[in-house]
Amino acid sequence: MRIAIAGGGPGGLYFAALMKQLDPAHQVTVWERNAPDDTFGFGVVFSDETLTGIAGADAVVHAAMERGFARWTDIDVDVDGHRFTVGGQGFAAMGRKELLQILQRRAAELGVRVHYRTPAPDVDELSATHDLVLAADGVHSAVRAARAGAFRPSLDGRRNKYIWLGTDLVFEAFQFFVKQTEWGTMQIHGYPYSDEGSTFIVEMHEDVWRRAGFDRTAGREFGPGESDEYAVGRIAEIFAAELAGHRVRTNNSRWLNFTTVRNERWYDGNVVLLGDAAHTAHFSIGSGTKLAMEDALALAACLHERPTVAEALEAYQAERRPVVESTQRAAQASLEWFENIGMYAGQEPAQFVFNLLTRSRRITFENLKERDPEFAALMEREFARSQRSAETVPAMFQPVRIGPLRLSNRIVVSPMDMYSAVDGVPGDFHLVHLGSKALGGAGLVMSEMVCVSPDGRITPGCPGLWNDGQRDAWRRVTSFVHERSSARIGLQLGHSGRKGSTRLMWEGMDEPLPDGNWEVIGPSALPYGPGCHLPREATRADLDRVVADFAAAARRGVDAGFDLIEVHAAHGYLLSSFLSPVANRRTDAYGGGLENRLRFPLEVFDAVRAAVPERIPVTVRISATDWLPDGNTDEDAVEIARAFVAHGAAAIDVSSGQVAKEERPAYGRSYQTPFADKIRHRVAGPAGVQVIAVGAISSYDDVNSILLAGRADLCALGRTHLYDPQWTLHAAAEQDYRGAGAEWPVQWQAGRRRPPTSRTDRVPPRLSLLREGPAGPVHLRWRPERRIGVSA
């Protein structure tokens, strides 16, 4: 093959070396616009998984890298003078310049032609004269720009400012400094890469950056290799204590805004993207160099294994895209956490550290428990102390109050529509469905959306509370829960609005009924989506009737024995559609700005609150974002939550979306938790109001991690409880917990041990265990005088 490579960084050079090893007859040419000894940045970090791949593909490169590694297992976090060390992680780093030199030598040995100080020729010319063109030309890729129509890139520029520096202070571990200054929160990401220096990245929100005067050089153009010496001097002053007399080093260092690069396609014909040209991941979670070298390994393997270039490039994209997208999701969570770091300034130091460590959701409590049991135990003790609890138990089993209502644990069975009522009356199915969840150990079991009127139903199968017969049927359910379990049961009240008069879910979700439709109303005459009902714009008389219906249903809910009432103002139903600018285009007092859009939902909430006694808390579920360009955002959600808290909400149940069919949610594990986190820290927490996180939370590990980090006070799980109605009891068994937070029904107590799942009679050979020795040290520090260090 004739192979052209634009970009002589680690990704391009490593790919070139791999291809020459696979077949010395390949003609591989690299164009690099910089000199061979030019390099930007200081150190690069690798995971054990990446190094294993490198070792298997090129032992020469791996051996050379191994000789230069700084290795450690600890993360040190300094939060305003409070220092914590968490071990068991595992890092290997080296100087970027040293890595480039290794790869340059290897490429030269193998006969790769490299043109330094030479921009790559036009991509169309290269494509016509070569079998393969590799774009490894970085985040500002000229190749990607030239073929943007094919690759369809998206570039997400962020607000935080960062500057890449080095220091002659040799850290012993990965080092975070988080400093509250008179201008706001600033943070350092640092790590050692040799026996002579460390990477030292300074990051802060743009507002903090401006207040601190760093914008003084904002309009200045820096030449190649030139650094922002003013910024360096100011940083040395601000972080003088952390630097402890050591120097700050520069290398083309100036303030930057991180850009997340994504591409819909990674190849076009015989032109393919690699590394930062294809994707970027925020420096707080991973190394671009690591990802680029992993790309190079995968691409070389696919070209070697597949009969044609076209098949190889398709296989490369199919193999790498899911891995990179997973990394980018974690990196995005980490990036956004650091953008909002000032929000956590009031957290206790230990909780702040746990929050920082678990920010990307890749590290969890159970993960830390395996890596550093002492730190994990500290976190459970700290959480118990913060909750004024005398017992140190898993966080999910600490009791909690929603207003005056005490719950034995922090697990909520989320409302889930079952579409199984007849004329709005719940039957045996609801008794078994909700009763089984209560027996299964959850602290609070929520009904599905119970409709306040016949024309407020979503489907003919939705239950209601508009008459006394329905009330009496619900009393049968609540009585069972109270008599047979320690759970409490909550009532979610709602009105379908423009999403009403539709088929049962399994007959066609959101599809209008074929006949027998009832009239639907909305804030404006706008359908939920194509093929959906066109609602009638609600009149003042309609709104008065809905308010009265909510109040009457709430009173029946109290009589039926519910312990809590939730007003459903999420998911595009009537109250939610009033809140959203996507659905609400009114020109009267109920439309326009957020204050007006809040007016009707707050009228309903006030009516419900007034209709029930103080002993029963009233909560609200909201959609924290519409997932649409012109819809509500998480910042709007903060203000919406603030308004409901001011009107007496005892908890904010934070969901998202389902406001319009064209939404584009960013699904993923615990994907809605950051919205709950923001509302808790900016509104609810200071007001003493609980926040419930919901959305793809499915493991007790995720629940405990969310609670310990302070991102929510309770977690609601829906589909998880459909899969396993006894999920909470099983989570207790798996954590070896027995206590008041997870009471097994007396009839079931014989089954509270987890049953064996495989052979248990195997006895490991004892002398073999002695020969193998213990697992690696929890705390390994980088101490250059020892080279590959020993346990601290």
Side-chain angles (χ1 to χ4, degrees), residues 127-186:
S127 177
T129 56
H130 290 77
D131 301 298
L132 179 74
V133 180
L134 177 67
D137 50 346
V139 66
H140 302 295
S141 170
V143 174
R144 186 186 65 226
R147 296 211 172 179
F151 296 127
R152 297 189 291 279
S154 68
L155 308 177
D156 179 16
R158 307 303 298 193
R159 287 197 65 190
N160 264 22
K161 292 286 187 179
Y162 73 97
I163 186 168
W164 207 287
L165 300 165
T167 176
D168 59 355
L169 170 60
V170 180
F171 296 127
E172 294 188 355
F174 209 110
Q175 178 70 61
F176 288 103
F177 291 112
V178 180
K179 189 164 188 146
Q180 302 303 330
T181 71
E182 59 187 284
W183 310 285
T185 307
M186 300 181 185

Side-chain angles (χ1 to χ4, degrees), residues 264-283:
E264 287 189 30
R265 284 179 58 85
W266 289 14
Y267 66 94
D268 176 36
N270 65 344
V271 180
V272 62
L273 303 176
L274 179 145
D276 284 354
H279 49 73
T280 58
H282 193 249
F283 53 81

Side-chain angles (χ1 to χ4, degrees), residues 744-760:
W744 285 73
V746 291
Q747 299 90 338
W748 293 358
Q749 286 187 2
R752 65 185 175 185
R753 279 188 180 179
R754 187 178 184 181
T757 56
S758 60
R759 280 184 61 189
T760 58

Side-chain angles (χ1 to χ4, degrees), residues 576-604:
S576 173
S577 62
F578 265 88
L579 290 170
S580 172
V582 171
N584 185 345
R585 305 285 175 79
R586 298 175 74 99
T587 57
D588 62 4
Y590 294 94
L594 182 57
E595 182 180 359
N596 282 2
R597 301 198 309 274
L598 269 161
R599 195 181 306 276
F600 177 61
L602 289 175
E603 286 180 6
V604 169

Side-chain angles (χ1 to χ4, degrees), residues 614-638:
E614 288 297 320
R615 63 181 172 79
I616 294 183
V618 179
T619 68
V620 62
R621 173 173 275 207
I622 65 171
S623 283
T625 179
D626 291 345
W627 299 113
L628 289 163
D630 299 322
N632 282 330
T633 68
D634 54 347
E635 288 298 319
D636 296 312
V638 168

Side-chain angles (χ1 to χ4, degrees), residues 269-343:
N270 65 344
V271 180
V272 62
L273 303 176
L274 179 145
D276 284 354
H279 49 73
T280 58
H282 193 249
F283 53 81
S284 63
I285 193 174
S287 164
T289 301
K290 165 191 176 301
L291 289 174
M293 293 182 72
E294 289 176 349
D295 284 353
L297 275 167
L299 179 57
C302 289
L303 286 162
H304 183 63
E305 295 162 357
R306 304 289 170 148
T308 67
V309 169
E311 290 175 90
L313 299 189
E314 183 180 0
Y316 161 68
Q317 177 176 286
E319 177 183 335
R320 286 296 292 162
R321 183 191 286 279
V323 177
V324 168
E325 287 179 347
S326 175
T327 300
Q328 286 188 313
R329 283 193 295 271
Q332 187 75 9
S334 180
L335 174 157
E336 292 176 2
W337 192 91
F338 280 108
E339 286 182 338
N340 294 298
I341 193 171
M343 190 168 74

